[in-house]
Amino acid sequence: DAGITQSPRHKVTETGTPVTLRCHQTENHRYMYWYRQDPGHGLRLIHYSYGVKDTDKGEVSDGYSVSRSKTEDFLLTLESATSSQTSVYFCAISESRRDGDTQYFGPGTRLTVL
Amino acid sequence: KQEVTQIPAALSVPEGENLVLNCSFTDSAIYNLQWFRQDPGKGLTSLLLIQSSQREQTSGRLNASLDKSSGRSTLYIAASQPGDSATYLCAVGKAAGNKLTFGGGTRVLVKP
């Protein structure tokens, strides 16, 4: 939906290494989000962006940073990956229409930190 | 802090039965409420969006109601089919960015 792609789709890395996940959208939506999904915790917001270079923290932002230098790309970086960051990461956009603001999600990135 | 709860965590129904999925939230000052479907290993598919000023929304066999004062939303799926088997998530949106707070989901199995 809404032309959202995420890369990579799967990644295995080692503790202490930096990791960058990419979210790309094709429809110039202003708002973009990063969530993580974990058993027992559901989906939780990590960071979000409300425009180029405009970002803010979500509920679980510790250990993560984000950047948005172009409207279409929102990057999530784990500066030094830890095993607790093993998760499925979802990117989303918010599409504003007359009937409301609907969030659409990308396919997800499964990250394993060994 | 907004908390969203979905009970039960799982349910199983025979094909053809109507499904009733519940979602409750603690802070009634919401911007909107959105229902999603998630198949195993897949992303989230948006089903219905209810704005805070609305009482219900309908799409095909799906109907969602919203009662802000009691902090509840209900998703009804009429005449369930095996293809409706999935996890259903509700999420409450906060104004100023439409940041979503998710419930834990209800895993549904529709048996042929």
Side-chain angles (χ1 to χ4, degrees):
Chain A
D1 281 46
I4 306 168
T5 57
Q6 294 185 231
S7 58
R9 295 292 314 280
H10 301 271
K11 186 169 182 68
V12 179
T13 191
E14 295 194 349
T15 297
T17 60
V19 176
T20 295
L21 308 182
R22 179 181 184 239
C23 178
H24 180 78
Q25 55 130 337
T26 59
E27 299 183 7
N28 282 328
H29 296 293
R30 178 183 174 194
Y31 287 93
M32 299 183 75
Y33 312 81
W34 277 107
Y35 294 87
R36 60 178 288 176
Q37 185 174 34
D38 305 288
H41 291 280
L43 277 135
R44 294 175 292 174
L45 181 66
I46 305 172
H47 280 280
Y48 70 103
S49 169
Y50 47 97
V52 173
K53 293 185 169 40
D54 293 323
T55 65
D56 206 348
K57 296 178 181 180
E59 180 187 355
V60 289
S61 59
D62 287 348
Y64 301 94
S65 63
V66 290
S67 65
R68 191 166 177 203
S69 58
K70 298 185 290 185
T71 300
E72 58 265 36
D73 289 326
F74 192 30
L75 304 180
L76 177 70
T77 297
L78 291 65
E79 303 289 349
S80 177
T82 67
S83 58
S84 65
Q85 293 176 312
T86 292
S87 186
V88 180
Y89 291 86
F90 288 100
C91 173
I93 61 91
S94 186
E95 181 178 76
S96 294
R97 300 191 297 203
R98 201 163 59 179
D99 59 351
D101 299 340
T102 302
Q103 280 198 26
Y104 294 100
F105 282 70
T109 293
R110 185 172 295 275
L111 176 67
T112 302
V113 183
L114 301 176
Chain B
K1 177 188 170 187
Q2 179 73 271
E3 293 182 3
V4 182
T5 303
Q6 292 183 252
I7 295 173
L11 77 156
S12 178
V13 299
E15 182 177 1
E17 192 165 297
N18 296 333
L19 280 165
V20 181
L21 306 179
N22 298 305
C23 173
S24 63
F25 47 94
T26 55
D27 185 349
S28 62
I30 66 171
Y31 180 58
N32 56 30
L33 187 144
Q34 199 167 346
W35 282 94
F36 295 90
R37 168 188 173 134
Q38 186 175 31
D39 294 293
K42 303 293 186 183
L44 280 70
T45 300
S46 178
L47 296 175
L48 288 169
L49 170 75
I50 310 177
Q51 297 191 77
S52 63
S53 58
Q54 296 176 319
R55 300 277 298 180
E56 67 174 353
Q57 276 286 3
T58 298
S59 176
R61 293 185 296 113
L62 277 59
N63 174 275
S65 65
L66 174 63
D67 184 342
K68 276 202 314 177
S69 61
S70 66
R72 293 183 185 180
S73 177
T74 302
L75 177 66
Y76 301 89
I77 303 178
S80 62
Q81 305 167 357
D84 294 329
S85 298
T87 296
Y88 291 84
L89 298 157
C90 75
V92 172
K94 182 177 177 180
N98 195 23
K99 293 169 285 183
L100 296 181
T101 300
F102 280 83
T106 296
R107 189 171 67 252
V108 171
L109 175 63
V110 180
K111 294 184 283 188

